[in-house]
C-alpha cells in the first residue's frame, strides 16, 4: 500500500495514515480537498445591518401609522362630544333655557374640535397630495 501522507484539518492534529485509509474514512474524497479547511457552520445570531434597515423602516412606519390612527380615533370622540354639546345648546336655546352666548361658545368649541380632528387625520402632506386617515 502507498505509505502515509500528512493530512490535516483545522482543529485536528496532523496524522500520518496510508492514503487509502484517508480516502475510505473521508468517503473517497480527493486528497487535494482534504488539505483545504472544512467549512464551519456559524451558529448563533447574525444580523446584516444593511438587510435589516428595510424591514425596520417598514415596521416603524406601520407602528407610527397605528399610533396616528389611535390618536385620530380619540380626536373623533372629542369632536363628536363637542358637536353633541352644540346640538344640546341649540335645542336649549329654542326651549328658552340657554342664551345665544352659550350657543356661540359651544359652536367655537365644536369648530376647534373639528379642526383638531382634521389635523389628527393628516398623515403626511406631500407636494400636491394630502395623505389622511379615512
Amino acid at each position: 500500500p502507498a505509505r502515509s501522507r500528512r493530512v490535516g484539518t483545522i482543529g485536528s492534529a496532523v496524522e500520518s495514515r496510508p492514503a487509502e485509509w484517508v480516502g475510505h474514512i473521508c468517503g473517497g474524497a480527493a486528497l487535494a480537498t482534504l488539505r483545504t479547511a472544512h467549512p464551519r457552520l456559524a451558529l448563533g445570531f447574525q444580523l446584516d445591518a444593511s438587510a435589516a434597515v428595510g424591514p425596520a423602516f417598514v415596521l416603524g412606519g406601520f407602528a407610527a401609522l397605528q399610533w396616528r390612527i389611535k390618536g385620530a380615533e380619540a380626536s373623533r370622540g372629542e369632536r363628536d362630544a363637542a358637536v353633541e354639546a352644540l346640538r344640546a345648546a341649540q335645542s336649549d336655546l329654542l326651549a328658552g333655557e340657554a342664551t345665544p352666548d352659550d350657543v356661540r361658545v359651544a359652536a367655537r368649541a365644536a369648530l376647534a374640535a373639528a379642526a383638531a380632528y382634521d389635523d389628527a387625520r393628516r398623515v403626511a402632506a406631500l407636494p400636491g397630495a394630502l395623505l389622511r386617515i379615512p
Side-chain angles (χ1 to χ4, degrees):
R3 210 48 197 143
S4 58
R5 260 187 137 167
R6 294 206 177 266
V7 177
T9 59
I10 295 176
S12 69
V14 177
E15 300 176 8
S16 177
R17 293 190 180 170
E20 62 269 5
W21 288 5
V22 173
H24 176 70
I25 292 171
C26 297
L31 290 177
T33 60
L34 292 176
R35 291 188 193 120
T36 61
H38 292 290
R40 291 186 180 192
L41 294 176
L43 301 177
F45 182 73
Q46 294 182 355
L47 178 67
D48 182 14
S50 62
V53 169
F57 182 72
V58 169
L59 290 175
F62 182 71
L65 180 63
Q66 292 297 318
W67 180 71
R68 290 289 283 185
I69 289 172
K70 186 175 181 178
E73 288 175 354
S75 293
R76 184 177 60 210
E78 293 171 5
R79 181 207 58 183
D80 292 345
V83 169
E84 187 59 36
L86 174 62
R87 288 184 188 140
Q90 288 173 339
S91 66
D92 287 346
L93 178 65
L94 292 175
E97 299 173 358
T99 64
D101 290 333
D102 295 335
V103 175
R104 281 190 213 111
V105 169
R108 283 191 204 115
L111 287 175
Y117 174 62
D118 285 338
D119 288 341
R121 288 179 52 206
R122 183 177 301 126
V123 175
L126 302 173
L130 174 64
L131 300 176
R132 295 189 322 177
I133 298 168

